């Protein structure tokens, strides 16, 4: 009979750490190692209970135990000053990559995964989530300070410095945070770096409202009411500390600045961001989804506050997709696809960023105020890092596609010109007619005003026809189509009422047909039009095609300038880092440390700058290879992998590209 016995015993496992070269002045370094105090190591495989190694010289019996600096040099990060719990830095980098790739991943879910890994291998599985998060944020902030020493700015677009074509701003109501009355107030690590300080925003808003007379209520445009078009607003709920986040991005989807919304979206919020952006770059266009109401308010404020007068030097830009919800005349006047010099900027870039940040809100709404600021800033940095990495590929592919679309658009215009048998001068006159029609603002509310009713009927007819045409072109979801159909029904009812009022006028020589008959006709004939003149609908179609050709021609020139600015930015950074490393090398040779640093710190700074210089030179070579293809005429897109552009592929150069479902405004 075979009997088996199992014996369990404790084994002292030592923490892997870099061994010191010497711990004493003895000539013969005969050292022994033994187990010291217990520490808890957390890595990607969970928790490990290990002992700190203690080295002892056999000759003089001098001992050496690793300190905080030794742990950091060996790739660990302390969870506290006494480092009873230490984390492997590789764990932090993995967690950060998980968060940026999957923003909805919570800290607790990640810690639970580590505990399950520990439990699977028979180890103690208790891991403190709060300590892990605090240590993680400390490590990321220390890395941020190191990047500042080498001149890295994550919230700056290399292709928009010093001149930016457009910056768009919009709010995201999903990034709210629940009220935590009993929480201990802590100072965020990244205060004011991306999200502006609440005190600065509150002071700016109070200053604006004290110098102006704010009007209550929401703004309207045509038949639409816009929740964001407000001069003042009250806090919507006592359960929320922050009601959302308003951000500003450039046309390359790079986040520039953000602020917490304390009482919903009001005009002062984008104005604060516009003022912040104006201090960093010369911006040509400023984009919002309620520009037709925001711009008059900005002009009123600028008259009362002269220091904000430079903001009016920017040009207004109504985001292209949101323009579909405005009146037709407003779309012609303010939409970005009709603004000279805007290129094919769509103004909806902020919506694509918000679709990413909305997933972050799944976890940040339960955090403390400081942790929320830090975590959103980390996500914004990770987003921008991906955009900057692929910026050269994005600009290259957008330039090639712009050339292809411009060729197609010109052929389309030539075909229309041949069908209509009109000259270019006559088509340009149609463009002027549409612009003139859009600038007329008669009082359509008066039932005895024939000009006002004519303007209203033409606008409603044009808006309905455009929404019908775009119903399946711009929307691919039933939820979006339902909203458009509901708008069509509402506007069709208003059109019928306006036709009835017009037919009842004593000055009407010829009655209009019903709304159904007008909409069924391909080119309706208006009684007030001149004989032989084309319909407004036909003129609007030609207007859109000619505007598209002009924007595409502008886009080619804009992209060339942006690629040049991107290249110049990299070259300047390489030159600056070269100068800094040369100066530090000279100081190290002469043993002079002008920054007041120790020799070890000075050497560390020099190594940091050299690493940054090496990375920049590698990036410069990649950018040079891509841009060189344009110079040599090699414009094939097949040489680039399909996923090289990452999220940039979702951003079309076509002005009519639809926005993401998550980013569609709730009132649109």
């Amino acid at each position: 009979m075979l009997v088996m016995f199992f014996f369990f015993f404790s084994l002292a496992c030592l923490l892997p750490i870099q061994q010191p070269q010497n711990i004493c002045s003895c000539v013969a370094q005969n050292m022994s190692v033994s187990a010291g105090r217990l520490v808890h190591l957390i890595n990607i495989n969970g928790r490990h209970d290990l002992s700190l190694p203690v080295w002892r010289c056999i000759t003089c019996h001098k001992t050496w135990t690793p300190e905080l600096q030794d742990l950091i040099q060996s790739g660990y990060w302390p969870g506290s000053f006494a480092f009873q719990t230490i984390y492997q830095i590789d764990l932090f980098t993995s967690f950060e990559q998980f968060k940026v790739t999957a923003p909805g991943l919570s800290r607790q879910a990640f810690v639970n995964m580590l505990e399950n890994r520990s439990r699977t291998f028979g180890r103690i599985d208790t891991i403190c989530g709060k300590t892990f998060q605090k240590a993680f944020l400390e490590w990321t902030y220390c890395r941020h300070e190191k990047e500042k020493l080498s001149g890295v700015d994550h919230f700056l677009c290399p292709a928009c410095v010093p001149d930016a074509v457009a910056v768009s701003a919009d709010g995201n109501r999903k990034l709210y945070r629940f009220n935590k009355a009993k929480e201990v107030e802590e100072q965020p690590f990244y205060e004011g770096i991306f999200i502006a300080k609440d005190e600065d925003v509150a002071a700016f808003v109070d200053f604006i409202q004290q110098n102006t007379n704010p009007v209550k209520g929401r703004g309207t445009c045509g038949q639409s009411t816009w929740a964001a078009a407000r001069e003042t607003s009250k806090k919507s709920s006592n359960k929320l500390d922050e009601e959302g986040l308003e951000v500003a991005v450039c046309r390359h989807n790079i986040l520039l600045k953000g602020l917490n919304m304390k009482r919903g979206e009001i005009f002062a919020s984008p104005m604060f961001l516009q003022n912040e952006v104006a201090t960093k770059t010369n911006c040509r266009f400023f984009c919002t989804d309620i520009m037709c109401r925001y711009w008059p308010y900005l002009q009123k404020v600028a008259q009362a506050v002269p220091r904000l007068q430079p903001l009016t030097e920017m040009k207004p830009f109504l985001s292209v997709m949101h323009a579909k919800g405005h009146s037709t005349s407003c779309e012609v006047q303010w939409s970005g696809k009709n603004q000279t010099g805007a290129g094919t900027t769509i103004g909806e870039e902020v919506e694509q960023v918000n679709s990413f940040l909305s997933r972050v809100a799944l976890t940040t709404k339960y955090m403390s105020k400081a942790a929320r600021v830090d975590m959103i800033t980390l996500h914004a940095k990770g987003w921008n890092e991906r955009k900057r990495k692929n910026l050269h590929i994005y600009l290259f592919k957008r330039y090639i596609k712009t050339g292809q679309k411009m060729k197609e658009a010109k052929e389309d215009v030539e075909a229309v010109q041949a069908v209509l048998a009109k000259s270019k001068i006559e088509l340009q006159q149609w463009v002027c007619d549409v612009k003139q029609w859009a600038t007329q603002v008669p009082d359509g509310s008066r039932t005895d005003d024939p000009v006002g009713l004519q303007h209203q009927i033409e606008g409603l007819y044009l808006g309905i026809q455009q929404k019908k045409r775009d119903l399946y072109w711009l929307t691919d979801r039933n939820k979006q189509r339902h909203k458009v159909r509901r708008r069509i029904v509402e506007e069709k009812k208003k059109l019928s009422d306006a036709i009835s009022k017009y037919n009842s006028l004593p000055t009407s020589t010829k009655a209009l047909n019903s709304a159904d008959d007008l909409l069924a006709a391909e080119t309706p004939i208006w009684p007030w039009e001149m004989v032989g003149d084309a319909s407004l609908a036909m003129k609007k179609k030609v207007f859109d095609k000619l505007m598209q050709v002009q924007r595409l021609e502008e886009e080619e020139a804009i992209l060339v300038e942006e690629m040049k600015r991107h290249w110049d930015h990299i070259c300047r950074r390489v030159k600056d880092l070269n100068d800094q490393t040369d100066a530090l090398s000279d100081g190290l040779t002469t043993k002079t440390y002008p920054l007041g640093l120790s020799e070890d710190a000075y050497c560390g700074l020099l190594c940091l700058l050299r690493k940054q210089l090496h990375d920049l030179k590698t990036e410069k070579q990649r950018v040079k290879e891509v841009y060189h293809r344009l110079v040599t005429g090699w414009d094939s897109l097949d040489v680039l992998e399909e996923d090289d552009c990452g999220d940039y592929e979702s951003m079309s150069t076509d002005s009519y590209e639809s926005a993401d479902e998550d980013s569609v405004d709730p009132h649109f």
Side-chain angles (χ1 to χ4, degrees):
M1 181 177 180
L2 179 63
V3 180
M4 299 182 64
F5 297 94
F6 295 92
F7 297 94
F8 297 92
F9 58 92
S10 178
L11 179 64
C13 298
L14 302 181
L15 177 71
I17 198 169
Q18 184 178 356
Q19 183 177 350
Q21 295 181 355
N22 52 64
I23 62 175
C24 61
S25 58
C26 297
V27 177
Q29 291 290 323
N30 296 324
M31 293 185 292
S32 63
V33 61
S34 60
R37 66 183 181 89
L38 187 68
V39 293
H40 310 300
L41 172 66
I42 313 296
N43 61 11
I44 196 64
N45 287 317
R47 171 176 165 174
H48 304 264
D49 292 337
L50 306 176
S51 298
L52 286 177
V54 178
W55 276 273
R56 178 186 299 273
C57 178
I58 300 177
T59 305
C60 64
H61 303 290
K62 187 175 181 179
T63 60
W64 180 89
T65 304
E67 300 294 337
L68 182 61
Q69 181 179 0
D70 304 308
L71 292 175
I72 295 176
Q73 289 179 352
S74 299
Y76 303 111
W77 192 262
S80 62
F81 185 76
F83 53 89
Q84 289 148 347
T85 301
I86 58 178
Y87 300 91
Q88 201 165 14
I89 292 180
D90 177 66
L91 176 67
F92 290 157
T93 58
S94 300
F95 179 63
E96 184 178 28
Q97 291 167 359
F98 274 128
K99 290 291 290 183
V100 173
T101 306
L105 176 70
S106 66
R107 176 205 70 196
Q108 193 58 41
F110 187 77
V111 171
N112 287 341
M113 183 270 292
L114 298 179
E115 291 179 339
N116 288 333
R117 294 283 292 172
S118 303
R119 196 179 305 115
T120 300
F121 294 103
R123 300 189 300 267
I124 299 176
D125 59 354
T126 305
I127 299 175
C128 181
K130 291 185 177 180
T131 305
F132 169 76
Q133 177 173 285
K134 184 176 181 181
F136 169 73
L137 293 176
E138 288 174 350
W139 171 76
T140 57
Y141 184 70
C142 289
R143 187 188 57 184
H144 169 74
E145 290 295 328
K146 287 169 56 180
E147 292 171 346
K148 283 176 60 178
L149 293 174
S150 57
V152 177
D153 189 351
H154 289 280
F155 301 101
L156 190 71
C157 178
C160 295
V161 177
D163 301 314
V165 176
V167 171
S168 57
D170 195 14
N172 189 342
R173 297 294 296 269
K174 294 182 180 179
L175 280 165
Y176 59 86
R177 187 181 71 89
F178 288 115
N179 182 20
K180 294 180 178 292
K182 297 181 180 180
E183 69 176 5
V184 179
E185 287 292 337
E186 296 180 351
Q187 198 74 6
F189 291 104
Y190 295 97
E191 185 177 22
I193 294 176
F194 169 60
I195 301 178
K197 297 180 180 179
D198 292 342
E199 299 80 12
D200 297 341
V201 178
F204 181 84
V205 173
D206 293 341
F207 177 75
I208 295 299
Q209 295 187 350
Q210 288 173 4
N211 286 273
T212 58
N213 187 18
V215 179
K216 296 182 180 180
R218 298 179 178 181
T220 59
C221 180
Q223 310 301 325
S224 304
T225 301
W226 299 88
R230 292 182 291 184
E231 298 183 19
T232 183
S233 176
K234 295 182 179 180
K235 197 173 182 64
S236 62
S237 174
N238 292 328
K239 296 181 180 180
L240 303 178
D241 273 348
E242 287 86 25
E243 297 187 4
L245 188 73
E246 183 131 1
V247 296
V249 304
C250 71
R251 76 189 214 115
H252 309 109
N253 278 23
I254 293 181
L255 286 155
L256 304 176
K257 196 67 177 177
L259 60 85
N260 288 317
M261 295 191 300
K262 293 292 186 178
R263 43 186 175 181
E265 291 186 74
I266 56 177
F267 286 142
S269 298
M271 191 180 300
F272 178 89
L273 295 176
Q274 184 182 3
N275 188 44
E276 289 289 312
V277 171
T279 60
K280 294 183 178 181
T281 181
N282 300 320
C283 184
R284 192 183 310 169
F285 291 94
F286 187 70
C287 318
T288 66
D289 53 7
I290 36 87
M291 182 54 70
C292 58
R293 292 292 172 263
Y294 170 76
W295 201 253
Y297 176 76
L298 174 62
Q299 293 176 327
K300 180 181 74 172
V301 172
Q303 291 179 354
V305 185
R307 69 183 179 89
L308 296 179
Q309 193 69 34
L311 299 184
T312 59
E313 297 176 2
M314 298 183 188
K315 297 180 181 180
F317 186 114
L318 177 62
S319 51
V320 173
M321 281 305 303
H322 281 84
K324 305 296 182 183
H326 291 248
S327 64
T328 308
S329 59
C330 177
E331 180 185 1
V332 173
Q333 283 184 274
W334 299 92
S335 177
K337 65 180 181 180
N338 304 325
Q339 303 301 319
T340 303
T344 57
T345 306
I346 60 176
E348 302 288 356
E349 293 82 7
V350 66
E351 303 293 351
Q352 297 178 0
V353 176
N354 278 335
S355 67
F356 168 80
L357 293 177
S358 296
R359 291 179 285 167
V360 182
L362 296 174
T363 56
T364 56
K365 60 185 177 183
Y366 300 111
M367 292 182 178
S368 64
K369 181 180 181 64
R372 174 180 175 272
V373 171
D374 293 334
M375 200 58 69
I376 291 178
T377 303
L378 282 177
H379 280 88
K381 286 178 62 178
W383 170 273
N384 285 355
E385 187 66 26
R386 287 192 296 172
K387 299 305 170 188
R388 289 164 61 97
K389 178 182 177 182
N390 296 319
L391 181 59
H392 57 294
I393 302 178
Y394 162 69
L395 293 175
F396 172 82
K397 297 188 74 172
R398 184 164 180 169
Y399 181 85
I400 301 302
K401 291 180 179 179
T402 299
Q404 296 171 351
K405 291 182 178 181
M406 183 168 59
K407 182 180 178 181
E408 296 172 358
K410 287 183 177 180
E411 293 175 353
D412 195 11
V413 170
E414 291 175 357
V416 171
Q417 185 178 351
V419 171
L420 297 175
K422 297 290 184 180
S423 64
K424 292 183 178 180
I425 298 177
E426 290 175 315
L427 294 183
Q428 288 298 330
Q429 182 59 44
W430 286 10
V431 172
C432 297
D433 293 344
V434 173
K435 291 182 178 179
Q436 183 180 2
W437 170 83
T439 54
Q440 297 173 354
V441 191
D443 187 5
S445 62
R446 291 176 51 189
T447 58
D448 59 345
D449 181 16
V451 178
L453 287 173
Q454 292 170 11
H455 189 276
Q456 184 182 9
I457 291 171
E458 288 179 341
L460 288 170
Y461 168 80
L462 194 60
I464 293 172
Q465 291 287 52
Q466 190 165 344
K467 289 179 178 63
K468 284 186 174 181
R469 183 191 67 183
D470 299 341
L471 182 60
Y472 287 93
W473 183 20
L474 297 181
T475 57
D476 56 355
R477 297 174 178 85
N478 289 332
K479 184 178 180 181
Q480 292 176 331
R481 296 191 187 107
H482 175 71
K483 293 180 181 179
V484 177
R485 290 191 184 100
R486 185 176 59 191
R487 290 290 306 280
I488 290 175
V489 171
E490 294 173 355
E491 292 189 4
K492 188 176 178 180
K493 182 179 179 181
K494 291 181 174 64
L495 178 61
S496 299
D497 295 340
I499 292 174
S500 300
K501 292 178 182 178
Y502 179 82
N503 291 335
S504 63
L505 292 176
T507 57
S508 300
T509 58
K510 184 178 180 181
L512 280 171
N513 295 329
S514 65
D516 292 331
D517 293 338
L518 283 176
L519 294 172
E522 183 177 354
T523 55
I525 299 176
W526 307 111
W528 53 83
E529 287 184 340
M530 295 184 297
V531 177
D533 192 20
S535 66
L536 180 64
M538 179 60 67
K539 291 181 179 180
K540 179 64 166 56
K541 290 180 181 179
V542 174
F543 173 82
D544 289 338
K545 293 182 182 298
L546 291 177
M547 288 296 103
Q548 185 182 16
V549 172
Q550 292 181 17
R551 299 294 84 79
L552 289 169
E553 290 175 347
E554 295 167 356
E555 182 69 14
E556 275 197 336
I558 289 172
L559 288 172
V560 171
E561 288 296 321
E562 288 179 339
M563 285 187 280
K564 183 177 181 300
R565 284 196 293 265
H566 184 209
W567 176 255
D568 291 342
H569 174 80
I570 296 176
C571 293
R572 282 196 308 270
R573 292 277 296 117
V574 170
K575 182 180 180 301
D576 293 342
L577 285 175
N578 264 323
D579 295 341
Q580 292 182 39
T581 52
D582 291 343
L584 289 175
S585 298
D586 294 341
L588 197 60
T589 303
T590 58
K591 301 295 183 180
T592 56
Y593 312 122
L595 298 178
L597 301 175
S598 64
E599 183 177 358
D600 291 340
Y602 210 76
C603 292
L605 178 59
L606 179 59
C607 293
L608 177 66
L609 294 180
R610 284 177 174 172
K611 180 181 182 301
Q612 183 67 25
L613 180 60
H614 176 269
D615 294 341
L616 264 178
K617 287 182 177 179
T618 305
E619 179 185 357
K620 182 180 178 181
Q621 184 61 31
R622 291 199 307 265
V623 173
K624 181 180 179 180
E625 292 175 358
V626 174
Y627 289 166
H628 186 66
R629 295 169 185 163
L630 292 179
V631 179
T632 57
W634 187 15
D635 56 358
S636 175
L637 295 177
D638 297 334
V639 297
L640 300 177
E641 294 295 334
E642 186 175 343
D643 59 346
D644 277 349
C645 286
D647 293 330
Y648 275 132
E649 280 298 307
S650 64
M651 180 178 169
S652 172
T653 60
D654 194 340
S655 300
Y656 308 105
E657 186 70 19
S658 176
D660 192 277
E661 181 184 13
D662 292 337
S663 62
V664 174
D665 202 83
H667 47 253
F668 175 55

